[in-house]
């Protein structure tokens, strides 16, 4: 169930096939223009403008191109993609089909998180139904010369496989490790072909944008973060769950909606995100301020922030792919420092040293995992330093 | 007049000894972007990059690191290696690119638009120092008790970046057991910094694939198949991973203590044979640039160390040519005249890395391997029989040491079948690096040593023996001999100065055809073999040469698919890139330029020899007159100079 600030939920306002029908009436570049005009940025976390991504892919000269739906959803505290796939899979498939039409791909692949295996049968049935209805497969209804099909490939169970280049490695049957970038997937992706990797939610919104028009989307949200967004809210609040809100909602407003007033801090963006303390709850959730792929974790005053930081760092120590030095060894150095804090044997100067190490990890790691893994630690040290010090005995 | 024709065997086979990035097996996560530029000089083919204020134009797709190298700007590296695809994972080489918030790994960042780069800003220096500190955090080792002391990239980095304490701690105790199961390679993962150079070496350069990164996060380590000891997996002992490991995590199984013990034991007669490749490279361990051979200085140093006799492996290289050449003629006769089934092409068998590779990956082709032993093993058998007899020494008191460029030779001398003399034919395989250490331990300044010759009764060998050290050398030596013996003409009549250029050089796979112009009077050494030689008249001998097992694989796949190379008569295979000069026991570092310099030294030496053809080696002829009296490939020579192989497959080590 997705709760929304308005009734009915946007996804319920659109009829099946409406988005695709609208798209197929346009030229490919008109579809891309519509997405660009909507101002939508990727919903997977990094916030790359979707129109630009599709355009790069469309412009790349290659005999084969691919659309990949990133359904790896590994960020602690996110489950919005799961709900979307369970309840609105048609919106997602339709968005992928629109993307395929726009960039000139014939094949779409859903990289489905291993834990979501139980959704597979239902998804396959939905895909079969779309094939029957000529919305997938050879010569799609309403288009002159457009064939597109979607297959599901199961993920391998590692968080890092959600990173798009590691995801592609994994799709190709290798160990899921991020690649050097450049080249980017839009140029050299799956099987060396231009590939647009997008989040589940990104595709669902694309369907809505085509159905309701880019202007509708652009007018919602903030200037640089247009439109609506799904948030997975968990932690110390009365009504955890999935919420639809416009981008730019303040932390305070969100807390009111979910029954989380009186929180001490909110972790925005999952383990790799930032920890916002209660005195900054007027901050906006959007790419200009605190960004998130959807995960919101609420902490009340009973929470021990050192424990929170340790949980996150333990996660990264395990989930780092182990390829590059700053991330592989940096995360465990930080975790060890937190353990020293717990025992009360970490000096202030060593804590400072670890924060500088965190900055190096942000700057020098090979992929987004290591680049963002120290975020939570750094923001907790910045905001709750007093709480961390003076322990032991 | 013989015609030679040299063509590229297959398109894929035309690599240059390094990695063919198009076909290698490493995952793309461990490869840098390759930008294909049609015409480097064309409009748009070049891009300007400004590094530390200096501008240069480089072909599109050049990495920042390569561009910096061209300008003489040094950027520190660790996981990058000239022979390997870029991995971009140690992050030591990070630099600041203007306009980008994050630092970029210069070894893996292709320049595709004009950029400005700064290589040593505060941000960069701090990040590098942190990265080195992090590596040391998981590095258990003491430099003064480490083979790589003073030749270790981690140590050098630590020094360059002023590491004076362990900022993020260090391990208090070892985390791994040392794997000394292999005769050739010892793995001490306590010193591993996970640069994965060994992984890329094994899978890309050698196409073996014994090593792989396993687990993730902080548990990441370099593992073998099913975590078995190295001796129990399909490792071919080539030691190429050792040569490319930046630290002491991989090293050769070092027998120098045993060798010293033998030298110090008055009851032992310690004989050393020295292969051609070490002499071309050992100077590098004494600070000389690559390409300065120290053959005769080394003889002096070896005697000073206490070896009783110093022999030249080239002697048995010449012997190998006679035995292997005879075997080839026999096989050709069986195929062409007797028209009976026989395994062709014949494969050389002098590289034990290659031999084990074939046993594992192409066991069905074991019959194609020449049954002739490698020169090392022939020498061992000859020393403990012929020489023992001649010198009047009980073979049980003789200790034979083989100075080799190779770690696989250590395994080879321990193969159970290598005891035809009644004793272990070769007691110890010593690498170039290990001998350099012994010489240093004895306080000898090798480059300053007087020159002295090899000992009798084997004396100085021929130039043909010397070139065994470089890829194509065995083939060239064989061709020189076969042409002269069979045709009764001088090689010089066909190839200027007897240099058979078509089989030389660093191309991954070389192919040549040589037409036998006439059959001349066959000399006594061979005339007993077969009565009639006429059938060879006009035959076009087709040969190929491959070095590095990745290239060997290409040849084997071509043969399996019935390609051009299936029609060859004789193929030289060397397990290591560049041949023995690039062996796993040679001085560290290695690079294409270093290997080429060593090869040049080898060919220069060949050129200077008065006798350059194996069949003209007087000591070899004497051996056939006095010892192997029935001639090559006869009963006795089969017993001592030939061997057999094991069809191992992928699961039997
Ligand atoms: C460590 C890591 C994990 C990620 N996991 C996911 C994920 O589970 N789902 C997702 O959509 N994007 C994930 N991303 C982001 C993707 O790399 C990529 O940016 C995204 O799929 C692009 O889609 P979008 O443009 O629609 O947001 C992850 C990134 C990193 C660095
Ligand atoms: S940052 Fe972490 S996850 Fe990313 S490549 Fe480096 S080790 Fe792997
Ligand atoms: S590997 Fe290098 S740094 Fe480590 S102990 Fe050996 S010499 Fe020292
Ligand atoms: S010795 Fe050769 S085969 Fe063995 S692990 Fe090293 S590179 Fe691989
Ligand atoms: S063993 Fe050596 S080459 Fe291999 S990863 Fe470790 S340090 Fe690098
Ligand atoms: S040398 Fe560039 S990342 Fe290791």
């Amino acid at each position: 169930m997705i709760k929304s600030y308005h009734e009915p939920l946007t996804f319920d306002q659109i009829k099946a096939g409406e988005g695709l029908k609208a798209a197929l009436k346009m030229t490919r570049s008109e579809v891309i223009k519509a997405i660009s005009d909507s101002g939508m940025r990727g919903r997977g976390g990094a916030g790359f403008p979707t129109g630009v991504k599709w355009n790069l892919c469309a412009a790349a000269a290659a005999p084969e191109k691919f659309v990949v739906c990133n359904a790896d959803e590994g960020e602690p505290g996110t489950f919005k993609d799961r709900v979307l796939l369970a309840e609105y899979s048609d919106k997602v498939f339709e968005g992928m089909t629109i993307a395929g039409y726009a960039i000139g791909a014939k094949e779409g692949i859903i990289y489905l998180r291993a834990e979501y295996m139980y959704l597979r049968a239902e998804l396959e049935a939905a895909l079969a139904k779309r094939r029957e209805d000529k919305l997938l497969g050879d010569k799609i209804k309403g288009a002159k010369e457009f064939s597109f099909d979607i297959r599901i490939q199961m993920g391998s169970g590692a968080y890092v496989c959600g990173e798009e280049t590691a995801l592609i490695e994994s799709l190709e049957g290798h160990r899921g490790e991020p690649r050097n970038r450049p080249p980017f997937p839009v140029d050299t992706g799956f099987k060396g072909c231009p590939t647009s990797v997008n989040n589940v939610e990104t595709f669902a919104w694309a369907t809505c944008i085509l159905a309701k028009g880019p202007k509708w989307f652009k007018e919602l949200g903030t200037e640089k973060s247009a439109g609506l967004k799904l948030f997975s809210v968990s932690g110390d609040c009365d009504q955890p769950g999935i919420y639809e809100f416009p981008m730019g909602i303040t932390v305070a407003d969100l807390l009111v909606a979910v029954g989380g007033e009186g929180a001490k801090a909110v972790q925005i963006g999952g383990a790799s995100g930032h920890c916002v303390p209660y005195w900054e709850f007027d901050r906006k959730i959007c790419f200009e301020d605190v960004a998130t792929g959807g995960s919101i974790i609420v902490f009340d005053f009973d929470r021990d922030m050192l424990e929170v930081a340790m949980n996150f760092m333990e996660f990264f120590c395990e989930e780092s792919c182990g390829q590059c030095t700053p991330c592989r060894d940096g995360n465990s150095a930080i975790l060890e420092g937190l353990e020293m804090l717990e025992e009360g044997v970490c000096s202030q100067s060593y804590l400072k040293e670890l924060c500088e190490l965190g900055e190096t990890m942000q700057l020098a790691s090979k992929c987004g995992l290591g680049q963002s893994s120290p975020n939570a630690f750094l923001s907790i040290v910045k905001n709750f330093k007093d709480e961390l010090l003076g322990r032991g005995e | 007049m013989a015609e030679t024709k040299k063509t590229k065997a297959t398109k894929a086979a035309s690599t240059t000894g390094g990695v063919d990035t198009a076909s290698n097996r490493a995952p793309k996560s461990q490869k840098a972007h390759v930008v294909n530029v049609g015409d480097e000089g064309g409009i748009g083919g070049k891009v300007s990059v400004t590094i530390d204020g200096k501008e240069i134009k480089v072909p599109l797709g050049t990495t920042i690191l390569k561009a910096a190298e061209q300008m003489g700007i040094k950027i520190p590296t660790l996981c990058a290696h000239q022979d390997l695809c870029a991995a971009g994972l140690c992050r030591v080489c990070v630099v600041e690119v203007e306009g980008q918030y994050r630092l970029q790994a210069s070894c893996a960042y292709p320049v595709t638009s004009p950029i400005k780069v700064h290589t040593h800003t505060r941000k960069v220096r701090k990040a590098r120092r942190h990265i080195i500190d992090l590596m040391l955090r998981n590095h258990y080792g003491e430099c003064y008790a480490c083979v790589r002391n003073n030749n270790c990239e981690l140590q050098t980095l630590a020094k360059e970046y002023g590491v004076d304490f362990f900022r993020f701690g260090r391990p208090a105790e070892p985390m791994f057991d040392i794997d000394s199961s292999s005769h050739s390679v010892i793995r001490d993962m306590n010193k591993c910094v996970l640069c994965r150079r060994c992984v890329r070496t094994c899978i890309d350069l050698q196409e073996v694939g014994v090593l792989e990164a396993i687990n993730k996060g902080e548990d990441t380590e370099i593992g073998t198949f099913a975590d078995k000891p190295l001796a129990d997996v399909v490792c071919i002992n080539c030691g190429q991973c050792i040569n490319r490991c930046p630290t002491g995590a991989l090293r050769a199984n070092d027998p120098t203590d045993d060798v010293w013990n033998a030298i110090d034991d008055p009851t032992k007669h310690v004989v050393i044979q020295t292969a051609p490749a070490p002499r071309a490279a050992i100077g590098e361990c004494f600070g000389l640039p690559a390409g300065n051979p120290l053959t005769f200085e080394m003889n002096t140093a070896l005697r000073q160390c206490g070896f009783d006799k110093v022999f030249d492996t080239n002697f048995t290289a010449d012997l190998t040519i006679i035995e292997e050449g005879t075997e080839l003629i026999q096989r050709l006769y069986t195929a062409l005249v007797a028209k009976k089934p026989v395994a062709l092409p014949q494969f050389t068998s002098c590289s034990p890395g290659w031999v084990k590779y074939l046993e594992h990956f192409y066991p069905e082709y074991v019959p194609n391997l020449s049954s002739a032993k490698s020169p090392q093993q022939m020498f061992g058998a000859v020393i403990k029989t012929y020489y023992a007899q001649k010198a009047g020494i009980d073979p049980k008191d003789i200790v034979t040491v083989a100075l080799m460029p190779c770690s696989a030779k250590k395994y080879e001398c321990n193969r159970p079948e290598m005891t035809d003399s009644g004793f272990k034919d070769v007691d110890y395989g010593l690498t170039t690096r290990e001998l350099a250490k012994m010489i240093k331990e004895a306080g000898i300044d090798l480059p300053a040593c007087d020159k002295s010759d090899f000992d009798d009764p084997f004396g100085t060998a021929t130039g043909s023996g010397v070139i065994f050290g470089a890829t194509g050398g065995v083939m060239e030596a064989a061709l020189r001999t076969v042409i002269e013996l069979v045709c009764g003409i001088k090689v010089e009549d066909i190839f200027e100065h007897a240099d058979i250029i078509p089989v030389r050089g660093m191309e991954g796979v070389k192919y040549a055809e040589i037409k036998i112009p006439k059959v001349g009077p066959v000399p006594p050494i061979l005339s007993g073999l077969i009565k009639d030689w006429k059938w060879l008249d006009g035959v076009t001998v087709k040969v190929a040469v491959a070095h590095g097992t990745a290239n060997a694989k290409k040849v084997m796949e071509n043969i399996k698919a019935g390609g051009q190379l299936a029609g060859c008569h004789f193929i030289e295979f060397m397990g290591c890139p560049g041949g023995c000069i690039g062996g796993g026991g040679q001085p560290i570092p290695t690079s294409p330029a270093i290997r080429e310099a060593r090869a040049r030294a080898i060919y220069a030496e060949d050129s200077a020899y008065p006798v350059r053809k194996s069949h003209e080696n007087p000591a070899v002829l004497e051996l056939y007159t006095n010892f192997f009296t029935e001639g090559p490939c006869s009963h006795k020579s089969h017993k001592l100079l030939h061997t057999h192989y094991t069809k191992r497959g992928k699961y039997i080590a």
Side-chain angles (χ1 to χ4, degrees), chain B residues 15 65 140 149 154 159 182 198 247 306 367 468 607 653:
Chain B
T15 75
L65 181 66
Y140 180 85
N149 194 3
L154 179 62
K159 181 159 181 260
S182 160
C198 55
T247 73
F468 261 58
S607 218

Side-chain angles (χ1 to χ4, degrees), chain B residues 301-347:
Chain B
L302 286 167
R303 289 192 188 92
Q304 285 181 17
C305 283
F307 288 98
D308 296 303
K309 291 286 172 190
V310 181
F311 296 140
D312 190 347
T313 307
N314 293 346
F315 168 76
T316 35
D318 287 337
L319 199 58
T320 301
I321 289 299
I322 307 287
E323 293 290 331
E324 203 163 318
T326 306
E327 185 186 352
L328 177 62
I329 290 168
Q330 284 176 334
R331 287 194 198 220
L332 290 177
Y333 183 82
T334 313
L336 300 177
V337 183
K339 307 227 184 283
K340 289 198 194 123
V342 64
L344 277 173
Q346 176 175 308
F347 300 158

Side-chain angles (χ1 to χ4, degrees), chain B residues 78 187-189 191-199 211 222 241 244-250:
Chain B
L78 191 81
R187 301 172 68 233
D188 178 359
M189 289 302 105
K191 291 174 182 164
C192 173
V193 290
L194 295 169
C195 69
R196 303 201 196 172
R197 272 161 43 166
C198 55
V199 174
L211 305 172
I222 305 299
C241 51
R244 288 171 186 77
C245 178
T247 73
L250 297 173

Side-chain angles (χ1 to χ4, degrees), chain B residues 271-274 309-313 379 387 454-456 458:
Chain B
V271 170
I272 188 164
Q273 52 160 315
T274 75
K309 291 286 172 190
V310 181
F311 296 140
D312 190 347
T313 307
F379 219 141
Y387 170 77
F454 292 98
D455 283 310
D456 283 335
F458 304 111

Side-chain angles (χ1 to χ4, degrees), chain A residues 158 169 172 174-175 177-183 187-188 191-192 316-326 328-330 332-333 335-336 350 353-354 356-357 359-360 362-366 371, chain B residues 25-33 86-91 94 101-104 108-110 123 126-127 130-131 134-135 137-138 165 167-169 193-194 196 212-218 220:
Chain A
E169 281 284 304
E172 290 180 0
H174 294 300
R175 196 179 140 90
E177 288 186 343
R179 296 176 174 176
N180 289 303
R181 293 140 56 103
D187 161 352
T188 312
K191 295 204 270 188
F316 288 119
C317 283
E318 223 163 84
E319 293 301 334
S320 153
C321 81
Q323 203 183 166
C324 74
T325 320
R328 180 189 61 234
D329 295 333
S332 40
L335 178 62
E336 194 183 72
Y350 190 57
E353 197 84 76
L354 288 175
E356 287 181 23
L357 172 65
E359 283 158 25
T360 288
Q362 290 174 327
L363 290 173
S365 291
K366 182 166 174 173
Q371 289 161 4
Chain B
R25 283 157 69 198
K28 292 199 193 68
S29 64
Q30 294 180 21
K31 272 184 220 170
H33 188 23
L89 47 79
C90 75
R91 315 304 283 180
V94 286
Y101 161 67
R102 291 187 211 285
L103 302 176
Q104 299 295 339
Y109 191 98
K123 237 158 110 177
K126 196 165 186 179
H130 275 146
I131 288 163
L134 284 177
M135 285 178 186
R137 183 181 135 81
N138 279 327
F165 74 111
R167 189 186 308 257
F168 302 119
V193 290
L194 295 169
R196 303 201 196 172
E212 185 51 290
I214 55 170
N215 304 334
K216 61 184 169 52
E218 53 183 355
T220 309

